[in-house]
């Protein structure tokens, strides 16, 4: 079981800057969990129609330990019969995002794609998995080759969708002309594609969930 979209998202997104992205930024964290959800749907472990459901009970039960909170909260949502938007609130869980981050980060560290860093931010110290430049470039090249190739893989579609929602493709492809060409090529390839249409609709629901939760946080903190 490979969470390809989530791994590639981490490699492109995590950086020190002013804040460690996947340790402190709510929106970046939520889309990280959504990336993992996309992966589980693509691998036919979960299914999403009117609601999220478990498609392969055995595979779901055998998911790695770093998805234990995700499994528990999703199972509870399904048992309670909540609608899709309510179920998708799990992507805004800080606990799920951090457990997922630790699990995937440890694997990327073992593969020597990231370095473990301790970063002090305001009064807090965060341990992050900082991607190596070569690892970032590998994902950039992968996306570029997918978009310009014969067919875009599902995980590449997922990643482009998420980066588009975050308005982050411009940070992946910094040359404006290249970005415009790649965006046009991607749209041409996925136009009318059933998988893309379904994932885009799901991303829109997820965006609404994230926005509402962010407004709730802002009002609570103000």
């Amino acid at each position: 079981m490979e969470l390809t979209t989530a791994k590639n998202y981490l490699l492109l997104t995590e950086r020190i800057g002013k804040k460690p992205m996947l340790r402190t930024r709510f929106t970046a964290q939520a889309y990280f969990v959504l990336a993992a959800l996309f992966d589980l749907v693509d691998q036919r472990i979960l299914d999403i129609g009117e609601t999220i459901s478990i498609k392969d009970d055995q595979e779901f039960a055998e998911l790695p330990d770093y998805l234990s909170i995700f499994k528990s909260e999703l199972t509870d949502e399904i048992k309670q019969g909540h609608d899709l938007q309510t179920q998708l609130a799990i992507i805004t869980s800080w606990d799920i995002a951090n457990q997922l981050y630790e699990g995937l980060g440890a694997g990327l560290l073992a593969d020597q794609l990231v370095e473990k860093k301790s970063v002090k931010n305001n009064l807090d110290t965060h341990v992050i998995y900082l991607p190596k430049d070569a690892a970032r470039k590998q994902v950039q090249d992968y996306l570029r080759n997918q978009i310009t190739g014969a067919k875009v893989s599902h995980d590449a579609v997922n990643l482009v969708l998420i980066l588009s929602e975050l308005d982050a493709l411009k940070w992946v492809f910094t040359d404006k002309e290249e970005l415009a060409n790649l965006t046009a090529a991607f749209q041409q390839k996925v136009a009318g594609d059933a998988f893309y249409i379904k994932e885009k609709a799901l991303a829109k629901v997820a965006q609404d969930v994230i926005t509402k939760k962010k407004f709730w946080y802002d009002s609570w903190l103000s």
Side-chain angles (χ1 to χ4, degrees), residues 117-135:
K117 298 281 187 179
S118 182
V119 181
K120 191 169 184 179
N121 174 246
N122 296 330
L123 299 177
D124 297 323
T125 298
H126 301 277
V127 176
I128 72 167
Y129 294 97
L130 184 66
K132 296 180 179 180
D133 290 342

Side-chain angles (χ1 to χ4, degrees), residues 142-154 156-158 160-161 178 180-197 200:
Y142 169 72
L143 272 186
R144 182 183 291 111
N145 292 335
Q146 282 290 313
I147 293 171
T148 58
K151 186 178 180 181
V152 190
S153 67
H154 286 179
V157 169
N158 290 338
V160 171
L161 264 174
E178 181 188 27
N181 291 336
L182 288 173
T183 301
F186 177 78
Q187 290 299 330
Q188 184 176 16
K189 281 196 173 65
V190 299
D193 181 80
F195 176 81
Y196 171 76
I197 292 169
K200 186 172 177 60

